[in-house]
Amino acid sequence: MLLGLAALALNGCSEADDTSGTAPVASSTAGFGTAGTSTGPPATYRSVGALCPVLDFRPLSELFGPVGQQQHQSRPVGATTELRCTATLGQLPRGVVVTVAATIGAPEAGRVMYEGLRRVHAETESVRDLASLGAGAYQYTDAAGSHIVTYDANLYLTLTAAPLRLNATPDPALVEPTSRVAASALSALRA
């Protein structure tokens, strides 16, 4: 259902906007040094060949241990590009697996996805807004892990940190370090 909603949001946005996915879009975001401010240049985001190598996992590796296995994917989907990085940090019983997913599309596509999916998450989870990350961001924790969701201009980004140990409860202290990893993704993908 979530993927269908996201696809509808992106298709609707790309059909309603004839501009290319690389046109600058203004952003009024501050903090983490990741997005344009109201007095700075407009923010746009671009695809990279591989997402894992451009991410800064240090905030999590300081807690859980070094980065182990990494897998990355990049695939075009219509007028968008989906990037995904999955990395293991540390070992059992305390390690985590982190998944960062970025969707880069037409101008304002990030906002459309964010607003639609935020409504869905707010109906089923206890979401908490996060300041100073992208143009909008929130956090929630469920059985799958601790999640950070953010957007800015043409970028929609999610980060999930899940315990390696089955049935382990996600650590509530993950919010700050996962926010910093998400901020590194915004910085790395900024055009």
Side-chain angles (χ1 to χ4, degrees):
M1 178 178 158
L2 293 177
L3 290 176
L5 183 63
L8 287 174
L10 284 176
N11 286 337
C13 185
S14 64
E15 289 172 9
D17 189 346
D18 270 345
T19 60
S20 75
T22 59
V25 177
S27 173
S28 59
T29 312
F32 289 106
T34 61
T37 65
S38 58
T39 59
T44 58
Y45 296 86
R46 51 135 176 79
S47 181
V48 293
L51 185 57
C52 291
V54 301
L55 297 175
D56 182 1
F57 285 112
R58 284 180 296 180
L60 290 171
S61 65
E62 290 170 358
L63 293 173
F64 299 104
V67 177
Q69 279 190 301
Q70 295 182 24
Q71 284 186 302
H72 52 264
Q73 287 180 286
S74 175
R75 67 183 186 130
V77 179
T80 66
T81 300
E82 292 182 358
L83 302 170
R84 180 175 299 269
C85 169
T86 303
T88 303
L89 287 90
Q91 299 176 354
L92 285 170
R94 186 159 149 66
V96 294
V97 62
V98 177
T99 302
V100 181
T103 302
I104 302 164
E108 293 300 309
R111 180 185 57 80
V112 172
M113 289 182 68
Y114 176 87
E115 289 174 356
L117 292 171
R118 190 185 195 295
R119 282 191 293 273
V120 172
H121 290 144
E123 290 175 6
T124 59
E125 307 298 336
S126 176
V127 300
R128 186 178 79 171
D129 288 326
L130 298 174
S132 303
L133 182 63
Y138 63 92
Q139 181 275 335
Y140 67 96
T141 301
D142 63 12
S146 178
H147 307 271
I148 301 286
V149 180
T150 187
Y151 85 96
D152 192 30
N154 63 324
L155 173 69
Y156 176 77
L157 186 121
T158 62
L159 186 149
T160 300
L164 281 174
R165 189 169 43 100
L166 292 177
N167 301 320
T169 304
D171 186 344
L174 285 173
V175 175
E176 194 274 334
T178 53
S179 294
R180 290 173 47 207
V181 175
S184 80
L186 290 172
S187 292
L189 296 174
R190 183 150 183 201

